[in-house]
Amino acid sequence: MRERTTIFQGTDWVMVILYIVLVTIGWLNIYAAVYDESSPGITNITQEYGKQMIFILVALGIAVAIMIVEPNFYPAFSMFIYAFMLLALVAVYFLGTEIKGSRSWFRFGDFGLQPAEFAKFATALALAKFLSALNIRMTDMTTRLWSAFIFALPLGIILLQNETGTALVYLGFILVMYREGLSGNLLLLAFFVSLLAVLSLLYDPLSLLYACVVILLACYLVIRKTKKNLLKVSASLLVCGAIVFGVPFAFSKLHDYQQKRINVWLGKDRSSESKKDEYYNVHQSLVAIGSGGFTGKGYLEGTQTKYNYVPEQSTDFIFCTVGEEWGYIGTVILLSLYLALILRIIFVAERQRSTFSRIYGYCVASILFIHLTINIGMTIGFMPVIGIPLPFLSYGGSSMLSFTILLFIFIKLDSHRLEIFR
Amino acid sequence: MSINNPYSDRRFVIAIIVIAVIVIYAVRLFYIQIINEEYKMTATNQAFRYMPDYPTRGNVFDRNGKRLVYNQSAFDLMVTPGQVKGIDTLAFCKVLNMDIVTFREKMKKAIYHGKRRPSIFEKELSVEQSSSIQEKLYMFPGFYFQQRTLRKYPMSVAAHLLGYVGEVPKEICDTSSYYIMGDDIGISGIEKSYEKELRGIRGTRIIMVDNLGREKGRYMNGALDTAAVAGKDMYTTLDLDMQIYAEELLKNKIGSIVAIEPSTGEILVFASSPTYDPNLLVGSVRSENFGKLGKDSLKPLYNRALSAPYPPGSTFKMLGALIGQQEKVITPASRYPCSFSVGSKSIHCHPHPSPADLSMSIQYSCNPYYCRLFINIVNKYSPTEKGYLNWKKHANSFGFGTKLGTDLAHELRGNIPSVEYYDRYHGKGRWKASSVYSLGIGQGEVGITPLQMANYCSIIANRGFYYTPHIAKKIEGGEVAAKYKEKKYTTVDPEHFAVVVDAMYLVVESGTGRGGKLPGIAYCGKTGTAQNPHGDDHSIYIAFAPKDNPKIALAVYIENGGFGAEWGVPITSLMVEKYLTGKISRPDVEKQMKEGVVLPKKVK
């Protein structure tokens, strides 16, 4: 065990530098997205880039604070933080201000706080705490159920708030469970179920069912023909049937705009009557990114960005600004930075002696990964339009703060990894 | 370490999942950003607006530099509905002198056209109107002025020759690499045949627009903008004073006057009646007036000088005389008796010394002479088809039944019947020269336009050749096509023309044209009467003056004018006198011609 000489000793500077680079890129692109030639001042607080500057400074302050506080604080108080966030999630449902059809914000004057954003790291802490306890094994059914419950609860509450996107992020914790022992087959099962669900929205259910029968029959023919296997195959068939008929039914129960977004994503709906239309959004996003070419149009020279063709271009669609102004070079570099960060987190998580720290690290990586996949996927047409921010880049105080907290707790925990023997 | 890491290998699975997603995204981005061109195009189409910079059209002058057509500025009031916010509608209506209902209708139309696109709100305001409105435009965002030019015709003559300009139709825009919707294009006359020279080149300003259609400035500060290039001015061969005079003489008559300068082929006069004021077909009033003119039963829009085929009547006889000599069927001394019949039909003639020789046959316009002559020409070769084709070949070389290749739009070929035509009509091998003898006296299925007739007169004046009639004397910065300087020879040798010229001189001196005799001017002419199955016969007269070194060759047609002598002759004599001397010595004749009214008895 080494003596600590400075608060920053042992800090993994790779993660810190990647964080700073991403935040800077984010600020530059928000500036470009909001840029108005008539009032170009950097420190204009009424503009989003001015506000983002404040959020960044506050976030940096909190990052420093996290580095100062005792690392044991986090495992110790994880459950309390988790409970507090759950309360906040419920409270906002009653006390929050309604924006765009959902009550998910506490507003303080010009600024707002979104509990759903902060609940992410709280859930990560809780899950890490739970799974790092002695005698907890993923092979036990109770363990699995409780783990799922830990993130399913906030997921459910957030779904009730109509923030489907944010709720989806919590499904990323399944990856964490996988790392901690959840059967890989479950992951594969989850993949095939999702695939079938999507196909059931594209094709006629009966034909799909016939296809499933054929495939399952073929599987049965090649494996050992035991009674157990027959049961498994039959059960699978039942599940297929449930999905193939159930998903379209559930789909029809969705809100109109949600149905439209999925239809647009699947390519079934190309009509666009107004600028607020789902198809228009995706189309404009593709146009902006696509028109960037190889080297992009240049900083502050993106026509689609400058002239507001892409909606939400400083928040959910911030990636479009990158694509248009920095071209393929820019998007690939950005993707690489995110990849580097996530892989670094995984690497750092693996070198942890503390189970808590490792699990928490994987939570951070999973959350970032899911955000990335959905947000960028949406801008390039690979995902339906689901409104979630791009970590460190999208404009927003709650997301900037919560991602900073999420990451820096891990950086702090990691910096103490040689001191912990737990 | 092992307590912590029973599943540590799974880090690879997770890492691979992350890498896989990122790589798939990178590939997709490669497709979107590099391979696919469509997005780049859409971006350009949305964010850029190409504003046309309209060029001024070339002016048109007569041969002496007098203005025939020039341009007048007009301003269209444009509106982009999406930008019209918070304006005081009442005040606006007051400024425009418009009522609220009309205002609302116009806005509705503009919105229908596209909220983010500019459309015309009020067309063609004058300089005065627009400048008084311009001062107040700052109060009404979304409205702006776009400058246009309109054609102006100071003398209101030569409507058919000059033609008119209209909006380019969609079909042309679709296939043209230059024209876009909103451009002007010449639709008839000189405006059409010299469209390319007169129109200039449209310029472009590239403006950046945002998603609401608001203009955000010029792309690259105008570096890629192109300036409009003004159209070229054109000097025509027309003689404005003579054209005005011709149109006065044609007033209240249906017909045409075409005058050519034989030594150059330059068209001096090109008048068709009834005519109209070309200013009626300018700008916003055009469609309405066009409709009215189109419905007029006398067809004022019809350019008879260029496109109306008439049987030439007796004026065709010179052709027969010339071909006959060339083919050695006759000599100037040949005589035929003044009687002719085929089957039950016999051809009549005016009383005159008989039998006539070649000169007399022209001077007294002997019909039977030319019927016989025609048959003899055709029968020179056997079978009939061969002989006929030989005659046709001569006729074609005089510019009959074929396009002359002028620079006027919509030139008519006229008609000299083909062998196939007669084969169909009579049956192959079942017709002879005597079946079609009427061609010899210019009756039947033959159609000659006044332009072709004037050119024919030119040929005789030149004794055997012509220059392709043309209207362009000089185009700014360019040369008139070389083909107009080319002598075009007919198939008849020059020596055969002398007797014809002398005979035509005698027509004026003492023949059917003597009513047009002018003191001190020796000139040549030939009357013609074109048979009209629908009413009174048409009066034709061709003439060139003076007899030697002719300066002008004319063809004058008066529909339903009866004998050539009645109207054709006096009008032609006035034209000749005016052109050669600048004065009129018989004001009473002039008055009578100007005031004369010749209308068809049966109006179709």
Side-chain angles (χ1 to χ4, degrees):
Chain A
M1 259 209 273
R2 287 181 219 153
E3 282 281 316
R4 292 197 69 82
T5 44
T6 66
I7 39 171
F8 295 116
Q9 181 179 21
T11 312
D12 182 74
W13 294 106
V14 177
M15 285 196 282
V16 174
I17 290 176
L18 283 170
Y19 166 78
I20 293 178
V21 171
L22 284 169
V23 167
T24 310
I25 290 179
W27 187 87
L28 284 173
N29 279 293
I30 291 176
Y31 184 76
V34 182
Y35 179 62
D36 176 8
E37 270 153 343
S38 54
S39 58
I42 294 184
T43 52
N44 194 340
I45 306 186
T46 56
Q47 294 280 42
E48 286 178 350
Y49 48 82
K51 291 190 199 169
Q52 185 76 346
M53 181 64 83
I54 296 183
F55 298 149
I56 292 175
L57 291 172
V58 171
L60 284 174
I62 298 212
V64 171
I66 291 176
M67 296 306 287
I68 294 176
V69 169
E70 261 283 331
N72 287 324
F73 172 78
Y74 303 106
F77 284 90
S78 52
M79 286 306 177
F80 288 111
I81 298 174
Y82 177 66
F84 175 74
M85 282 306 166
L86 282 178
L87 265 165
L89 273 177
V90 174
V92 80
Y93 197 62
F94 297 104
L95 301 172
T97 338
E98 183 152 343
I99 303 177
K100 297 184 196 171
S102 59
R103 280 185 165 226
S104 47
W105 288 77
F106 287 119
R107 290 215 74 91
F108 307 104
D110 224 11
F111 297 92
L113 283 177
Q114 217 180 1
E117 291 289 325
F118 297 98
K120 287 177 207 162
F121 74 80
T123 310
L125 286 170
L127 190 63
K129 175 77 178 174
F130 176 71
L131 286 176
S132 59
L134 300 167
N135 300 326
I136 290 289
R137 265 173 262 286
M138 194 56 79
T139 41
D140 295 335
M141 181 60 91
T142 34
T143 312
R144 292 206 287 265
L145 284 174
W146 276 112
S147 317
F149 183 72
I150 290 179
F151 63 81
L153 189 55
L155 189 158
I157 300 179
I158 294 174
L159 260 181
L160 283 173
Q161 289 176 353
N162 263 326
E163 294 278 344
T164 328
T166 318
L168 274 176
V169 172
Y170 286 81
L171 289 178
F173 287 109
I174 295 179
L175 275 174
V176 181
M177 286 177 66
Y178 168 71
R179 169 60 185 82
E180 294 308 310
L182 183 69
S183 160
N185 293 334
L186 224 69
L187 231 58
L188 272 172
L189 185 68
F191 174 71
F192 282 117
V193 164
S194 323
L195 185 65
L196 193 60
V198 172
L199 287 174
S200 74
L201 290 174
L202 279 171
Y203 299 104
D204 161 54
L206 272 171
S207 351
L208 272 179
L209 201 53
Y210 288 140
C212 290
V213 169
V214 168
I215 293 174
L216 283 171
L217 222 58
C219 292
Y220 182 67
L221 288 172
V222 295
I223 58 175
R224 278 186 302 164
K225 297 171 184 41
T226 62
K227 202 167 172 200
K228 201 164 165 214
N229 279 340
L230 185 59
L231 269 159
K232 280 193 192 169
V233 169
S234 317
S236 311
L237 194 57
L238 268 156
V239 170
C240 285
I243 296 175
V244 155
F245 288 102
V247 168
F249 176 74
F251 177 74
S252 64
K253 294 287 171 208
L254 285 176
H255 291 253
D256 275 344
Y257 76 91
Q258 287 169 324
Q259 290 190 32
K260 185 133 202 276
R261 285 184 183 179
I262 295 183
N263 280 333
V264 166
W265 168 55
L266 292 174
K268 281 161 77 172
D269 189 340
R270 289 188 162 234
S271 63
S272 176
E273 269 154 30
S274 79
K275 269 176 0 91
K276 302 239 165 50
D277 258 334
E278 280 69 18
Y279 176 68
Y280 178 89
N281 293 355
V282 176
H283 182 65
Q284 287 302 332
S285 167
L286 288 167
V287 166
I289 297 175
S291 65
F294 191 68
T295 54
K297 295 180 185 166
Y299 188 53
L300 298 183
E301 295 296 334
T303 52
Q304 309 310 103
T305 309
K306 273 207 302 194
Y307 302 127
N308 299 322
Y309 281 96
V310 181
E312 303 289 344
Q313 61 185 31
S314 59
T315 54
D316 297 344
F317 283 86
I318 187 73
F319 189 69
C320 296
T321 306
V322 178
E324 187 186 16
E325 299 196 347
W326 304 100
Y328 190 63
I329 293 181
T331 53
V332 165
I333 289 180
L334 185 63
L335 281 176
S336 311
L337 286 169
Y338 275 120
L339 183 63
L341 181 61
I342 294 175
L343 289 179
R344 181 69 184 173
I345 294 174
I346 293 177
F347 172 77
V348 169
E350 283 298 334
R351 73 180 181 192
Q352 300 303 311
R353 291 181 193 169
S354 149
T355 314
F356 177 86
S357 307
R358 178 184 73 243
I359 296 173
Y360 182 75
Y362 269 96
C363 287
V364 176
S366 305
I367 291 173
L368 289 177
F369 175 60
I370 297 287
H371 269 272
L372 194 71
T373 307
I374 294 181
N375 181 289
I376 296 185
M378 163 187 80
T379 64
I380 59 179
F382 270 5
M383 292 267 162
V385 173
I386 298 174
I388 55 171
L390 191 59
F392 311 121
L393 258 65
S394 286
Y395 165 76
S398 298
S399 82
M400 176 59 72
L401 276 178
S402 64
F403 282 120
T404 304
I405 297 174
L406 181 73
L407 182 64
F408 272 85
I409 291 181
F410 182 57
I411 293 177
K412 178 64 174 172
L413 288 173
D414 168 69
S415 73
H416 287 263
R417 71 185 177 287
L418 296 172
E419 300 158 33
I420 292 176
F421 206 63
R422 210 174 67 82
Chain B
M1 285 297 204
S2 55
I3 16 164
N4 266 339
N5 295 320
Y7 303 104
S8 66
D9 283 346
R10 293 191 165 188
R11 67 183 184 273
F12 294 113
V13 176
I14 295 179
I16 287 175
I17 293 176
V18 176
I19 293 174
V21 168
I22 302 264
V23 166
I24 292 174
Y25 281 11
V27 170
R28 166 73 169 167
L29 281 165
F30 185 76
Y31 168 74
I32 296 176
Q33 292 187 296
I34 299 191
I35 297 187
N36 189 313
E37 289 291 332
E38 181 203 323
Y39 296 122
K40 211 181 195 111
M41 269 173 36
T42 309
T44 314
N45 288 341
Q46 282 178 170
F48 296 102
R49 187 179 290 156
Y50 295 88
M51 301 279 286
D53 197 10
Y54 292 105
T56 43
R57 216 169 156 83
N59 297 299
V60 181
F61 301 92
D62 90 330
R63 65 189 296 114
N64 296 313
K66 296 189 184 153
R67 275 195 317 188
L68 291 172
V69 190
Y70 67 98
N71 299 305
Q72 207 179 31
S73 275
F75 294 86
D76 290 338
L77 181 59
M78 311 286 293
V79 65
T80 311
Q83 292 170 27
V84 177
K85 284 186 171 52
I87 65 164
D88 183 347
T89 319
L90 274 173
F92 188 72
C93 289
K94 203 152 168 232
V95 169
L96 279 191
N97 222 354
M98 184 186 285
D99 64 273
I100 286 253
V101 178
T102 319
F103 174 85
R104 295 231 173 89
E105 276 171 16
K106 286 181 185 264
M107 278 307 282
K108 235 166 128 196
K109 258 178 87 183
I111 292 175
Y112 180 75
H113 184 242
K115 257 193 141 178
R116 289 176 277 165
R117 287 163 63 181
S119 42
I120 299 182
F121 188 79
E122 186 72 20
K123 231 174 171 318
E124 284 168 29
L125 295 164
S126 70
V127 179
E128 300 79 32
Q129 288 172 303
S130 59
S131 52
S132 73
I133 298 173
Q134 177 74 50
E135 305 174 330
K136 308 201 182 68
L137 260 195
Y138 71 93
M139 293 194 284
F140 308 112
F143 288 91
Y144 65 96
F145 276 111
Q146 183 164 281
Q147 187 167 9
R148 302 297 303 246
T149 53
L150 298 175
R151 294 303 238 177
K152 189 113 178 74
Y153 306 86
M155 303 309 297
S156 302
V157 293
H160 302 98
L161 176 73
L162 297 172
Y164 64 97
V165 170
E167 271 176 40
V168 60
K170 188 170 185 304
E171 303 79 58
I172 295 190
C173 289
D174 288 343
T175 53
S176 156
S177 61
Y178 172 80
Y179 292 102
I180 59 173
M181 292 303 288
D183 272 351
D184 285 337
I185 191 173
I187 297 182
S188 76
I190 290 179
E191 299 279 16
K192 178 170 180 170
S193 50
Y194 284 94
E195 161 69 11
K196 199 121 176 272
E197 289 82 356
L198 291 172
R199 76 168 183 226
I201 302 178
R202 184 184 62 243
T204 308
R205 281 176 295 131
I206 307 180
I207 309 277
M208 320 261 277
V209 281
D210 73 3
N211 64 332
L212 292 174
R214 289 182 295 208
E215 293 187 5
K216 290 286 181 188
R218 293 166 67 182
Y219 182 56
M220 289 177 55
N221 279 320
L224 294 184
D225 291 354
T226 48
V229 175
K232 301 200 173 37
D233 285 344
M234 182 176 159
Y235 293 83
T236 61
T237 58
L238 200 74
D239 186 320
L240 179 60
D241 295 328
M242 290 306 295
Q243 178 80 16
I244 294 174
Y245 194 60
E247 293 196 12
E248 280 174 358
L249 291 172
L250 281 176
K251 223 187 192 126
N252 292 318
K253 309 170 187 70
I254 304 176
S256 40
I257 297 179
V258 179
I260 299 179
E261 185 180 65
S263 55
T264 57
E266 291 181 0
I267 297 175
L268 300 166
V269 171
F270 203 80
S272 171
S273 184
T275 181
Y276 58 92
D277 180 354
N279 289 303
L280 287 176
L281 292 188
V282 173
S284 52
V285 297
R286 186 183 63 255
S287 347
E288 195 193 329
N289 287 334
F290 193 85
K292 287 188 191 155
L293 290 169
K295 290 203 190 99
D296 189 328
S297 62
L298 293 177
K299 303 199 191 149
L301 292 173
Y302 184 34
N303 186 350
R304 290 167 166 85
L306 183 65
S307 314
Y310 300 93
S314 302
T315 55
F316 221 42
K317 290 172 176 150
M318 282 83 75
L319 181 71
L322 291 164
I323 297 177
Q325 292 178 82
Q326 181 70 18
E327 289 293 335
K328 302 206 186 344
V329 172
I330 50 164
T331 69
S334 305
R335 292 177 188 257
Y336 290 107
C338 184
S339 67
F340 175 78
S341 59
V342 89
S344 55
K345 207 155 198 293
S346 48
I347 298 302
H348 302 290
C349 206
H350 333 272
H352 62 80
S354 172
D357 66 13
L358 185 57
S359 175
M360 289 158 71
S361 69
I362 293 176
Q363 189 188 351
Y364 300 117
S365 202
C366 177
N367 292 327
Y369 189 102
Y370 284 93
C371 294
R372 292 173 186 269
L373 175 58
F374 179 75
I375 292 174
N376 289 339
I377 290 173
V378 173
N379 285 339
K380 182 179 174 193
Y381 297 101
S382 185
T384 308
E385 290 78 14
K386 190 161 174 217
Y388 178 76
L389 275 174
N390 185 46
W391 175 86
K392 184 172 188 301
K393 175 199 79 186
H394 287 294
N396 287 145
S397 80
F398 275 76
F400 293 141
T402 157
K403 283 202 185 179
L404 290 170
T406 70
D407 53 359
L408 297 169
H410 302 306
E411 188 194 336
L412 199 76
R413 228 177 79 223
N415 186 39
I416 301 281
S418 61
V419 167
E420 290 75 31
Y421 173 80
Y422 286 129
D423 283 346
R424 271 199 305 272
Y425 190 76
H426 294 280
K428 197 165 162 65
R430 289 151 73 97
W431 56 280
K432 304 194 299 272
S434 49
S435 325
V436 296
Y437 69 87
S438 57
L439 287 181
I441 49 174
Q443 303 292 354
E445 300 85 7
V446 54
I448 313 288
T449 65
L451 176 65
Q452 288 171 322
M453 196 52 83
N455 185 52
Y456 165 61
C457 190
S458 231
I459 293 174
I460 303 174
N462 286 331
R463 282 74 167 168
F465 64 88
Y466 66 97
Y467 293 96
T468 307
H470 54 280
I471 194 64
K473 195 167 172 70
K474 180 161 123 66
I475 298 183
E476 200 183 331
E479 287 288 321
V480 177
K483 71 174 181 178
Y484 298 124
K485 302 216 169 63
E486 228 180 84
K487 269 189 196 168
K488 309 200 70 149
Y489 287 90
T490 62
T491 49
V492 175
D493 297 331
E495 63 259 22
H496 300 308
F497 281 81
V499 62
V500 170
V501 169
D502 287 337
M504 286 174 74
Y505 169 68
L506 289 175
V507 166
V508 176
E509 278 299 297
S510 52
T512 52
R514 64 188 180 276
K517 213 156 112 168
L518 292 167
I521 302 177
Y523 74 100
C524 311
K526 181 73 190 81
T527 52
T529 308
Q531 274 174 356
N532 176 17
H534 303 286
D536 282 349
D537 292 340
H538 304 315
S539 166
I540 311 177
Y541 193 56
I542 62 174
F544 60 89
K547 173 166 176 264
D548 300 309
N549 295 316
K551 300 267 180 297
I552 183 171
L554 313 104
V556 175
Y557 279 68
I558 307 292
E559 282 190 24
N560 312 109
F563 291 121
E566 236 189 292
W567 293 97
V569 167
I571 288 177
T572 307
S573 68
L574 288 166
M575 290 286 292
V576 166
E577 191 178 18
K578 180 101 180 184
Y579 186 68
L580 292 179
T581 69
K583 299 195 300 274
I584 294 297
S585 59
R586 301 158 296 159
D588 47 322
V589 174
E590 184 185 51
K591 183 162 182 284
Q592 192 188 6
M593 287 301 119
K594 279 192 182 178
E595 290 173 2
V597 176
V598 184
L599 289 175
K601 292 235 173 57
K602 290 185 200 160
V603 179
K604 291 190 204 116

